[in-house]
Amino acid sequence: MPYLVNGLKVKISIFQWQTFTNMRTLLLLALLTISNGFSQKLKVSDNQRFLVTQDESPFFWMADTAWELFHRCDREEASTYLTKRAEQGFNVIQAVALAEIDGLNTPNPYGEIPLTNNNPNTPNPRYFEHVDHIIKKADSLGMYIALLPTWGDKLFKNNWGVGPEVFTPENAKTFGEWIGTRYKNYDNIIWIIGGDRNPRDGSTDKEVWNQMAESIAKAAGGYEATLMSFHPQPKENGGSSTWFHDQPWLDFNMHQTGHCANQGTYQKIAHDYQRTPYKPVLDAEPLYEDHPNCFNAKELGHSIPEDIRRIMYWNVFAGAFGQTYGCHNVWQMYTTEREGINQPLRPWPVALDLPMAHQVKHLKHLMLSRPFLSRIPDQSMVVEQQKDNNDYVIATRDAEGSYAFIYFPKGKSVELNLSNLSANELKAWWYDPRTGNAFQSANIVRSKKVAVIPPTSGKGHDWVLVLDDPGMGFPAPGQTK
């Protein structure tokens, strides 16, 4: 039969036509399968340090904070945002159902509010239809939603937030049952209790969060069927672990390390990494890109990429299973028509292309280019005692010694103890966190004291030294075989 191929009429047999048609059908089915998103939920790894998929593949958490996504974006805007972040390599989006910026009384773009009469016992299904749509869109792009049922000011406002304060232990349980039931069949949901509030002494706050978490878990199929954490305010040491570490619903610990550049965030990660029973840990709200440093733009300016890179590599090398990024303009979905919070610098669609939004993936690619689930922090590799400042050099390695990563925030020279690595002669690479490029250096002989000098030094000249056992045949850092 005749058929047009690239504008030319050709003849093919019935058998050829059927084969072509079958191939087209299979291709279409494959594309439809991809567009329907994940079929695997995430779970905690057997060693209790990481997240994996159901088939045990390692999962590096690379999240963005989009707290106002459900509340302020219409479906076209949400699609633009999610598509861009997926292209940039993000795999988790942190967003809130009952949003922070007057999320109960200011309607979404379709005129809907989330609760009838601000009553958690009577959610508005029409509002949540929009939430459903965005979660499904994220799934179609291969992304998980870290879903906060509510922001913390709906429990108490503290010195900021507009509330209103609507939650009690009783209606927190009812709302948890409702929202857990609604999303129990969504495999790309990660549950996050809390929302920028720490439980107050002498209050029912812990009971509210426990009731909400327990009812969600029960409604969504039990502890084994849910993945859950708690999003706190900044705290000196433990974050979620301070109040909920031993709760059966808490699968991994979260920190908010805050919005100041000059602080040793690795200390907070190390604190929870050392707690027992072991639970994975990460920083779910670090310094945002374009954020006023310590909320003081006049004296300290806004954040810059090197500060954000340093925090991210510190956290992961200290033992975190991933890292959250955030942009100050994006979390609030700022536009020039809206009143900005804490001096945003540009509209959110423009801010999607800020430098760190493109550089975060280099951290993910580096970590996944070597065995991930056997990685441990090992600061004993750095011989000199490090001062807690922005020069702090930090090390992590494979438990069996097949590789090591050492991060140099400002390229200063140090002495390393390589005795825990497996090979007598190590293949050395320098990995650039700004570009994701790597180049091979001279091999290094294993020793208890080896002087190392990075390629360049100074502010903004951060590097990762990668040391490999040559017999393992690892690809270049940041690459997969």
Side-chain angles (χ1 to χ4, degrees), residues 378 380-384 397 401 404 406 414-427 443-452 465 467-468:
D378 186 2
S380 71
M381 292 186 66
V382 184
V383 175
E384 297 102 324
R397 65 175 175 87
I406 302 93
V414 297
E415 290 184 332
L416 299 177
N417 179 355
L418 307 181
S419 59
N420 285 328
L421 301 185
S422 57
N424 289 324
E425 187 171 355
L426 299 157
K427 189 175 183 179
N443 285 3
I444 296 177
V445 176
R446 184 180 62 186
S447 172
K448 290 185 177 181
K449 189 172 285 190
V450 177
V452 174
L465 175 63
L467 299 174
D468 289 334

Side-chain angles (χ1 to χ4, degrees), residues 188-410:
N188 69 323
I189 293 288
I190 303 162
W191 295 98
I192 311 298
I193 308 304
D196 202 25
R197 293 294 187 281
N198 294 338
R200 298 164 296 179
D201 293 337
S203 72
T204 61
D205 297 347
K206 284 179 63 177
E207 185 181 358
V208 168
W209 298 129
N210 276 321
Q211 288 286 357
M212 187 177 294
E214 291 284 356
S215 60
I216 289 172
K218 182 178 180 180
Y223 300 136
E224 296 298 321
T226 55
L227 188 66
M228 196 174 297
S229 189
F230 178 90
H231 173 254
Q233 294 169 255
K235 186 171 173 59
E236 183 177 353
N237 287 313
S240 59
S241 67
T242 303
W243 309 278
F244 302 111
H245 187 78
D246 295 321
Q247 290 296 328
W249 56 263
L250 189 96
D251 297 297
F252 61 95
N253 278 308
M254 272 189 168
H255 283 272
Q256 177 186 167
T257 58
H259 299 283
C260 294
N262 299 319
Q263 57 177 329
T265 58
Y266 49 84
Q267 296 173 343
K268 298 181 180 183
I269 300 300
H271 175 275
D272 279 8
Y273 189 90
Q274 294 162 5
R275 290 203 59 162
T276 56
Y278 296 148
K279 290 190 176 183
V281 59
L282 87 161
D283 185 353
E285 188 175 335
L287 174 63
Y288 289 162
E289 191 159 21
D290 256 9
H291 196 287
N293 199 352
C294 290
F295 298 88
N296 187 353
K298 183 177 181 180
E299 295 182 13
L300 301 176
H302 286 68
S303 66
I304 55 178
E306 66 195 58
D307 292 327
I308 296 165
R309 284 198 308 273
R310 181 180 65 253
I311 290 167
M312 290 181 168
Y313 281 80
W314 270 350
N315 289 340
V316 173
F317 283 31
F321 66 89
Q323 179 65 34
T324 294
Y325 162 84
C327 176
H328 186 48
N329 316 288
V330 172
W331 76 259
Q332 59 186 288
M333 297 301 170
Y334 171 71
T335 65
T336 55
E337 291 78 28
R338 290 173 174 147
E339 182 180 355
I341 296 175
N342 294 325
Q343 298 175 297
L345 295 179
R346 65 202 89 216
W348 72 263
V350 177
L352 292 177
D353 275 310
L354 285 173
M356 280 309 301
H358 292 278
Q359 293 179 26
V360 177
K361 63 178 179 289
H362 303 322
L363 173 58
K364 179 179 75 170
H365 293 164
L366 173 65
M367 305 315 294
L368 294 178
S369 69
R370 300 292 183 271
F372 187 64
L373 301 180
S374 57
R375 183 179 64 84
I376 60 172
D378 186 2
Q379 197 58 14
S380 71
M381 292 186 66
V382 184
V383 175
E384 297 102 324
Q385 182 70 32
Q386 297 293 294
K387 294 181 179 179
D388 289 322
N389 58 29
N390 290 348
D391 284 338
Y392 190 91
V393 176
I394 193 167
T396 185
R397 65 175 175 87
D398 172 51
E400 300 300 320
S402 68
Y403 72 88
F405 300 149
I406 302 93
Y407 177 65
F408 299 76
K410 296 174 72 173

Side-chain angles (χ1 to χ4, degrees), residues 70-73 106-113 126-128 130:
F70 301 133
H71 182 219
R72 283 189 156 182
C73 288
T106 298
N108 70 9
Y110 302 100
E112 301 293 345
I113 56 175
R126 291 189 300 276
Y127 177 92
F128 283 89
H130 182 51

Side-chain angles (χ1 to χ4, degrees), residues 74 102 121 139 145 170 192 204 217 225 238 309 316 355 381:
D74 63 26
D102 197 25
N121 291 322
D139 192 39
I145 295 291
E170 293 74 24
I192 311 298
T204 61
R309 284 198 308 273
V316 173
M381 292 186 66

